[in-house]
Amino acid sequence: MVDRLVNSEANARRIAMVENCFGSSGQPLAVPGRVLVGEGVLTKMCRKKPKPRQFFLFNDILVYGNIVINKKKYNKQHIIPLEEVKLESLADEGQKQEWMAHITKCIEDLLRKSGKKPVEVHAAVWVPDNEATICMHCNKTQFTVLNRRHHCRQCGAVVCGPCSNKKLLLPGQGNGKAVRVCLQCYDAASKIKAIPTTAVDSLNNKDPQRNSADSSGGDSSGDDDDGNKEENHDEPKFYSTLGR
């Protein structure tokens, strides 16, 4: 049970080890009441291809990072509050069901004890670059070195520059700034409600530098950076049972 691990030396030691593996680039993880429930390697659907990432499930957050040296060093730390996590069942060959069961249990316990509300709007899952050779909106533009891929932040489709030269304010994305969307999503949002202050016309004309940086050629999160090429990973470890 998670409650029995809260003040245990074993839990404090495990959390300290996770902090040490991320080093000074990571955020402090030891806070009162936090428990490390489990850890292991999962495959993250990155922009260009699926890649292994080290995940740590706590009773209130989900943490993951790039693997530099397995079990010793990680970087590019990402922290996701559990109330913002949405689970979808996808076909894979890993320990999906076990992870999903533990994450679901942690979310249920967190919402019940804290009174927090789950986030209802989530960012779209991006279509990987290699699954689109032409624009998914106009079905005409072929992607080349010059015609770069872009992703709609609303639906996740891979689109060309002219088909994604609009911006919208989307909940939970852009840190309060409008983000790139395809014309189809922009038109749909405009029909629902006219919000001139949340829609910015022409990325190319108004913000050329942002347009260049916003393409699929780069990844501000660092998720496309390759760390250690090692592919052999141990089974996940869970320190709490699923029983109530």
Side-chain angles (χ1 to χ4, degrees):
M1 296 292 291
V2 170
D3 292 341
R4 290 203 292 259
L5 296 174
V6 172
N7 297 316
S8 68
E9 292 184 6
N11 179 63
R13 183 171 62 250
R14 292 173 190 138
I15 295 178
M17 290 180 63
V18 177
E19 290 181 329
N20 289 336
C21 287
F22 279 105
S24 59
S25 64
Q27 297 292 323
L29 298 172
V31 300
R34 178 169 290 167
V35 174
L36 178 59
V37 178
E39 59 182 283
V41 176
L42 291 172
T43 300
K44 183 178 185 296
M45 296 301 296
C46 295
R47 178 176 300 176
K48 295 181 179 179
K49 63 180 181 180
K51 295 182 179 179
R53 295 290 181 258
Q54 182 70 31
F55 278 76
F56 300 93
L57 173 62
F58 295 83
N59 59 336
D60 62 335
I61 58 175
L62 184 65
V63 178
Y64 72 91
N66 291 17
I67 302 171
V68 180
I69 302 175
N70 193 27
K71 294 185 179 180
K72 294 183 178 180
K73 186 176 181 181
Y74 312 112
N75 62 12
K76 305 293 184 182
Q77 185 188 77
H78 297 259
I79 300 177
I80 308 173
L82 285 186
E83 64 267 22
E84 298 180 8
V85 172
K86 178 183 179 183
L87 295 179
E88 292 186 9
S89 182
L90 301 175
D92 67 7
E93 299 178 354
Q95 300 84 16
K96 178 185 66 176
Q97 296 301 328
E98 189 175 15
W99 272 99
M100 290 184 68
H102 280 278
I103 294 174
T104 299
K105 180 65 165 56
C106 287
I107 294 174
E108 291 175 350
D109 290 346
L110 175 67
L111 297 179
R112 185 180 69 254
K113 294 177 181 179
S114 68
K116 294 181 178 180
K117 301 295 183 182
V119 175
E120 297 181 356
V121 180
H122 297 82
V125 177
W126 287 9
V127 176
D129 284 1
N130 59 8
E131 292 187 12
T133 57
I134 63 173
C135 174
M136 298 175 68
H137 185 27
C138 66
N139 294 317
K140 294 179 180 179
T141 302
Q142 289 191 331
F143 296 122
T144 64
V145 175
L146 297 179
N147 291 325
R148 302 176 68 181
R149 293 172 173 84
H150 300 271
H151 280 87
C152 171
R153 270 57 174 176
Q154 175 78 352
C155 67
V158 182
V159 289
C160 63
C163 289
S164 60
N165 63 357
K166 304 289 186 181
K167 284 185 175 182
L168 289 173
L169 279 177
L170 298 179
Q173 299 192 57
N175 294 322
K177 296 182 180 180
V179 293
R180 179 187 295 271
V181 295
C182 68
L183 297 180
Q184 185 173 352
C185 290
Y186 178 86
D187 291 341
S190 300
K191 291 178 181 178
I192 295 174
K193 186 176 180 180
I195 317 176
T197 57
T198 64
V200 182
D201 289 340
S202 184
L203 269 167
N204 294 323
N205 294 333
K206 294 185 181 293
D207 199 352
Q209 292 183 347
R210 175 64 181 254
N211 182 42
S212 175
D214 204 28
S215 71
S216 295
D219 189 349
S220 59
S221 69
D223 279 340
D224 277 337
D225 295 339
D226 278 322
N228 188 15
K229 301 296 184 181
E230 181 181 354
E231 293 296 335
N232 296 321
H233 303 289
D234 295 336
E235 296 290 313
K237 293 182 180 180
F238 292 99
Y239 308 111
S240 175
T241 63
L242 291 171
R244 293 188 178 275

